[in-house]
Structures are given as C-alpha cells and as structure tokens.
Amino acid sequence: MTRSIEADNMAASFALRGSEGVKIFRGPPNHDPVSVHVCDESKTCKAMAFSSDGRFFAWANIECVFIMDAEKLTVCHQLNQPKVTNLMLSPRGNTLVTLGPYFAPDRGGGEPNLLFWNVQTGAIVKSYTFKKSYNWEPKWSGDDEVCAVCINNELHFYEKNNFEILANKLHLQKVTGFCMAEGTAPYMVSVYVAGAKGQPSFVRVYQYPNFGGQTAAIANKSFYKADRVHMYWNKAGTGLVILTSTESSDSSYYGEQGLHYIGVGAGESCLVPLAKNGPVYSVMWSPLNTEFCVVYGYMPSKATLFNLKCEPIFDFGTGPRNHCFYNPHGNILCLSGFGNLAGHVEFWDVKQHKQISQFKAADTTSFLWSPDGEHILTATTAPRLRVNNGYKLWHYTGSLLATEPVASGNELWEATWRPAAFSEKPVRYKPAEPGLAMPEAQKTEAYRPPQARGSDYKPLQLHQYEPASNPKQPQATIMGTDKAVSKNKKKREARKAKSSQEGEAKDQAIPDMTHHAPSDASNPTPTTGNPEVDKKIRNIRKKLQQIEKLKEQLAAGKQLEVNQMEKLKTEDALVKELEDLEIG
C-alpha cells in the first residue's frame, strides 16, 4: 500500500489554521517562514485536513468548503456548503466527509448534516442526519476499499467508495463506538456495546465481511467496569489494546481504568500488567506493529514497552510524563509531559533502549512528528491557551530550529503536517543541526521557612525518579501458582546450599521466604563497597520481608487489598534485582 507521497527529495510541509486564516508552510530542512502559501485569509475557518496519502488538502470557512491539490497548491473544488464544523478526507483522498450543526425539524431543520462528497466531481454521493457532535467520523481501511459508518445502532459498510450500494451491515444493541484497523485486507473491525441493567459491556472483534451471528466474532471481551472505552488497533490489524474507564468507583473518586489486550490470531485476551497503580495517560502502537507503549501510574508516572504477548520488554522508569509519541518509522519514541506538566520532553532510541536527548517545550498543546521522522512541530494553540500562541520547529537531538509567534491580537487554533513518505535514517545522538538559543528558564529558589533562611537548609525532595531498566518478562497470570512457588523454592535452596559449602554467612544475601534472620549488630548486612547499591539492597530486603508477611496473612485466610495483591506480584522481580545487585 502506498501510504503517502514520495518525498525524500523535498522538504516536509505543514498547515496552520487560526484567526489569520489557513496557510501552508515549507518545513525542515528548508524551513523559511516567508515561504508560505495562503489558502484562506478569513477569520472563520473551522476545520482543515490532509488525506493520508498527502495528495489533497481541504478546509472550511463559514461560507463554503475548499478542496485543493496539495502538490500543485491549486483549488480543485469550491463547495457551497456553509457552517461546516468538522471535515475529513479518506486515506487515498477519494471522498470528503463534512459535518454541520444539527437542527431539529421543529426549528426548521431535519435536513442531512453528515455529507459525503466525491473529490473528483465535487458531488454529494451520500448523506445522513447525525444528531451528535462526537463519534461522527466514518472509518476507512488504509487502502480506501472499505468504509464504515455508525448510524442508529448499526454499522453500514460501503466498498470502493461506492455509496449508492450498501455492501454490508452489522447490527448490535446500543453500539456506542467502533474502530477499524488502518491496514489492508483482511479488514478488522472492533465494536463496543455499553452494558445496561446489570449486564456487562463488551467489545467484539470481527473480520470483514463475516458478521453472521455471535459465533462470527473472532474475539469477545466483557467488562463490568466500563463507562467509556478507547480502542487502539495496530496498523496490521493483528493486535487490539482496549482502555476501559469508569466515572467513579468505591476505591477512587476519579474512577477506575483497565487496560486489556486482544490478539487476533487465536482470539486470546489478557490484562496488560501495569507495575504501578494510577491512571493510564497514553497508549500508542509502534508503526512496526510489534510493540506498544503505555504511560501510566500516579505521578511521577511510569512508561513501559510491551510486546504482542503483553510482556514488558523495557521500562523507561518514572518521570513527569503523560504522553508518548512514536515517530513514523518507529525507531524513536518521545515521552513528554504537557498540559498541567511543565513540558519535559525526552527522546529514546527504541532499538538500543537508550536516551537520545531531553529538553523542555513549555506551553505545548500540540506535538506532531514530521513525516521525515527527524523533526517535530510543537504549537501553543487556543482555546487551550490564549497567550503565547505560535509554533516551534525542533530536531529530536534537541536543536531548536525555528520559533514563530502569531501576531499580537491573533490566535493559532490548529497545526498539522502534510503526510509524505521519507526513508528511515540512522539515529543520531549529537545535535544534527545548528539551532537557536534555547530560552533560559527563570530560576526560582525553593521556599525556606523564616528560621532556616541564611543557613544551609536543604528542602525535602518530593519525588525520587526510578531509572530505566530491562524488567524480567513475567509469565502470564502464574503469580501464586504451585509452579512459580516451587521454582522459587528450588532456587532459594540451591543458593543456601552453595553458601554453606563456601562457609560464608550469606543468609541475608537472598532472603529466605520462610525464615528471616534478624538484622542486628550480631548479624551484620554484607556490603558491596558502594553505598548507593547497599541502600538499594536494604530497601529490596525490606520489601521482600513485607511480601512474606502478606503471604502469611493470605495463607491464614485474610483477604488482601488490591495494592497488597499487586505487591505480591513483584516478588520474582525483586529477587532477581537483588541477585543482580549482589553479583555486581
């Protein structure tokens, strides 16, 4: 499939929409703020979009809609459709979809407001009356062969952009949402149905066009705690990650979340194991379809890479993050903290699991990778922020290449790159391009109480960040089974036997899970010579002692809390980490 135009020998370009209209700029490496194509100078542009192949660009103002050839920068059609609030182009640019406001029939409305336009002819080929202002977007397969629309609890399917013939239909009670994988055949569709009257919510996965009854579903996953669901397909259609959320719960005012995985091959499903309690902020599949990244947990949050078996393959540690972004080639991952965080940004080499750079992009409301996989566009947009609107261009090694604020009194509303196909380039660790001087952050001293001013008072550090690591890949759902207990017991016995043979008192080195020797002056803790390592060893032993107590309580029939059960799951990882520290 041709994902987008070939662009290795040209600069990337991007579009901006704001109170100054719609403009297209040449991007890096030949960025020139003066080289700009003005598409529309009106102050009423409500929406804009590129097709996924980069061939067409469309935008709408209060009076009409325009379709432009994005390569020649010439307008193909001007559609006399006023008051369009949203629009989108199909991946190959064959169809334009526009959404306008819905007016009830008693208010002089009732006319169709969800319109499908043929890009070549500019004619309306299908229309619907859509009452909601959300979940209106049709879903296309990546090759434009299949289009799905959710209308009145039914999914309507059209083929080859022929909207005169309804090719297929899927009917379920109270369809709340659906998602289609962006790849080519076989086409995968997931459907979410909200539960009612004590019945669970569920997500079903189908292979188009096999919709013949419940047995036709490839996979089915039910949830009792799911007021909202977000579905994330990888582009190959081989894996689906489902994020469920509730408005509130007994354990938390902010509700609960669950992260689930469905593998299409055998229809298997499992819960994604998260190593820290708290909300899930961001989920993103790698463009290579072999892994996905999750940012989760109470601040400072964790970020973890998972493979297709839901096994953690790399832990990025903790930090001030709430977003993750793969570049188009999948070889670089950005972890960032925007919104109520200070704009910390860090870039990682995915293959080497090594950090490339880190810096701050303050007041960022929009983060976009360039299609070349090397440059980034960050923007400060309204209405999220109405001050300091503008955009910046960066290289992932940390070079600031351009910064362009909007003129005083104006606002920037949206920014987007024109899709294009660039070849992957080797990852660089040194700044690849000379950049502008980074703005110096205003330094503020920590608050000191009056009695400590003028002294060597040091404020208490609020957070201790965990470093990145390669976690031991957990075996799926075997915590607490006889197999795991037996395996760990044999390891402990072998270590104790070796210790006694060598005549070394190492009872404390690897704690025995059934008998803990007291830690006192008569039985000193062995040291490694590194105070930091010794401190980690003491902390791990303390956690293992707590786990042993919890296991004794569980064996006595006491019901443990959720966080206590999560702590039990960390036993194997802690023992392995302890081994590594003492061997090192």
Side-chain angles (χ1 to χ4, degrees):
M1 179 188 68
T2 304
R3 181 179 60 84
S4 52
I5 60 172
E6 296 295 331
D8 275 324
N9 297 322
M10 60 180 290
S13 58
F14 59 94
L16 301 179
R17 179 178 63 87
S19 58
E20 295 179 293
V22 173
K23 302 176 182 179
I24 295 181
F25 291 82
R26 287 175 53 189
N30 302 316
H31 172 66
D32 183 356
V34 179
S35 178
V36 56
H37 177 81
V38 179
C39 302
D40 194 322
E41 294 184 299
S42 69
K43 297 180 179 294
T44 60
C45 295
K46 297 294 184 181
M48 67 176 183
F50 283 100
S51 60
S52 296
D53 62 2
R55 291 193 305 150
F56 294 99
F57 178 66
W59 75 92
N61 58 31
I62 197 66
E63 297 177 350
C64 52
V65 179
F66 299 88
I67 303 176
M68 186 177 75
D69 184 316
E71 184 174 355
K72 299 178 181 178
L73 297 179
T74 57
V75 174
C76 305
H77 298 286
Q78 179 176 332
L79 311 176
N80 294 321
Q81 183 65 28
K83 299 181 180 179
V84 168
T85 57
N86 301 86
L87 58 79
M88 67 176 293
L89 284 156
S90 65
R92 294 286 183 88
N94 293 303
T95 304
L96 170 71
V97 184
T98 62
L99 177 71
Y102 168 76
F103 295 102
D106 57 357
R107 296 178 57 190
E111 296 183 358
N113 60 332
L114 184 64
L115 306 177
F116 292 68
W117 307 76
N118 186 303
V119 171
Q120 298 298 326
T121 65
I124 296 176
V125 293
K126 190 66 180 178
S127 61
Y128 287 103
T129 299
F130 201 85
K131 297 181 180 180
K132 298 179 292 184
S133 59
Y134 57 93
N135 291 338
W136 61 272
E137 301 97 331
K139 301 293 191 301
W140 266 275
S141 60
D143 55 9
D144 246 24
E145 289 293 308
V146 179
C147 175
V149 190
C150 184
I151 300 294
N152 298 328
N153 295 329
E154 288 185 340
L155 291 186
H156 293 183
F157 292 87
Y158 300 92
E159 297 180 356
K160 300 183 184 300
N161 289 280
N162 181 4
F163 294 93
E164 296 180 356
I165 300 176
L166 183 62
N168 247 300
K169 184 185 295 186
L170 174 61
H171 176 75
L172 293 171
Q173 293 293 330
K174 296 183 179 180
V175 174
T176 309
F178 76 103
C179 190
M180 179 180 290
E182 296 181 10
T184 56
Y187 307 109
M188 297 297 171
V189 182
S190 56
V191 182
Y192 164 58
V193 176
K197 297 181 179 179
Q199 297 298 315
S201 305
F202 62 84
V203 169
R204 286 181 185 161
V205 177
Y206 296 90
Q207 179 177 318
Y208 180 85
N210 303 323
F211 301 138
Q214 294 186 4
T215 58
I218 296 176
N220 185 33
K221 185 70 176 176
S222 299
F223 321 92
Y224 271 101
K225 296 181 178 181
D227 297 332
R228 298 185 308 276
V229 160
H230 291 87
M231 294 175 282
Y232 306 90
W233 278 104
N234 63 4
K235 290 188 177 181
T238 57
L240 173 67
V241 177
I242 305 168
L243 175 62
T244 62
S245 306
T246 61
E247 296 291 346
S248 61
S249 69
D250 296 335
S251 59
S252 173
Y253 172 80
Y254 299 99
E256 295 182 20
Q257 289 181 308
L259 198 62
H260 309 265
Y261 172 80
I262 293 179
V264 171
E268 72 277 5
S269 64
C270 64
L271 189 68
V272 179
L274 302 180
K276 188 174 185 179
N277 292 330
V280 176
Y281 304 103
S282 182
V283 179
M284 188 174 187
W285 277 97
S286 165
L288 303 178
N289 304 313
T290 57
E291 64 187 22
F292 60 93
C293 181
V294 184
V295 182
Y296 61 96
Y298 296 115
M299 289 293 167
S301 62
K302 290 184 75 70
T304 306
L305 286 182
F306 295 91
N307 60 18
L308 295 181
K309 296 181 180 179
C310 283
E311 297 169 338
I313 55 179
F314 188 74
D315 187 342
F316 294 96
T318 60
R321 315 152 173 156
N322 54 12
H323 291 284
C324 58
F325 305 94
Y326 278 96
N327 76 342
H329 303 123
N331 62 335
I332 301 175
L333 176 67
C334 174
L335 302 175
S336 59
F338 299 137
N340 59 345
L341 299 179
H344 178 76
V345 178
E346 53 191 83
F347 292 87
W348 290 78
D349 184 333
V350 176
K351 295 178 182 178
Q352 301 298 326
H353 295 159
K354 185 177 178 181
Q355 187 176 115
I356 303 169
S357 66
Q358 60 177 334
F359 53 88
K360 279 195 175 182
D363 298 333
T364 296
T365 60
S366 177
F367 178 100
L368 299 161
W369 274 104
S370 166
D372 65 10
E374 294 191 296
H375 297 88
I376 301 98
L377 174 67
T378 62
T380 303
T381 59
R384 180 66 178 84
L385 287 175
R386 296 193 180 276
V387 295
N388 299 327
N389 278 196
Y391 71 89
K392 294 181 175 71
L393 286 168
W394 311 77
H395 191 268
Y396 67 82
T397 53
S399 298
L400 176 60
L401 307 180
T403 176
E404 296 292 337
V406 299
S408 178
N410 290 307
E411 293 180 340
L412 177 63
W413 301 329
E414 185 182 3
T416 185
W417 288 98
R418 179 194 179 195
F422 287 82
S423 299
E424 179 180 341
K425 296 182 180 179
V427 176
R428 298 182 179 184
Y429 288 83
K430 296 182 179 180
E433 303 176 34
L436 304 177
M438 297 283 284
E440 293 186 3
Q442 185 178 1
K443 295 182 179 180
T444 57
E445 294 185 1
Y447 171 77
R448 296 186 177 202
Q451 65 272 20
R453 293 171 186 170
S455 66
D456 294 332
Y457 169 80
K458 294 182 178 180
L460 179 67
Q461 187 174 359
L462 181 61
H463 294 301
Q464 185 72 31
Y465 294 150
E466 297 177 11
S469 63
N470 280 299
K472 177 183 176 182
Q473 295 184 353
Q475 301 178 36
T477 64
I478 64 170
M479 198 287 296
T481 63
D482 293 338
K483 180 178 179 181
V485 173
S486 176
K487 184 177 180 180
N488 293 333
K489 184 177 180 181
K490 289 180 181 178
K491 288 182 178 179
R492 291 193 298 271
E493 290 175 351
R495 286 193 293 268
K496 289 171 64 178
K498 183 178 179 181
S499 252
S500 61
Q501 290 175 1
E502 296 175 352
E504 298 175 358
K506 290 186 178 180
D507 289 347
Q508 291 291 325
I510 303 297
D512 182 71
M513 294 307 157
T514 55
H515 301 284
H516 291 279
S519 178
D520 52 27
S522 62
N523 190 13
T525 301
T527 62
T528 63
N530 187 329
E532 293 297 326
V533 174
D534 292 341
K535 182 179 179 181
K536 291 182 180 179
I537 291 175
R538 290 194 297 271
N539 290 336
I540 293 174
R541 286 179 176 152
K542 183 177 179 181
K543 292 178 181 179
L544 289 170
Q545 290 173 355
Q546 295 172 348
I547 290 174
E548 176 59 24
K549 292 180 181 179
L550 291 175
K551 290 171 66 176
E552 292 174 356
Q553 295 175 4
L554 185 63
K558 181 178 178 180
Q559 185 174 0
L560 301 182
E561 301 292 336
V562 175
N563 61 336
Q564 293 175 324
M565 293 299 295
E566 293 294 329
K567 183 178 290 186
L568 289 177
K569 296 179 183 179
T570 64
E571 180 181 1
D572 290 347
L574 290 173
V575 171
K576 178 63 169 59
E577 185 178 357
L578 186 59
E579 287 179 341
D580 295 340
L581 289 173
E582 293 188 333
I583 292 174

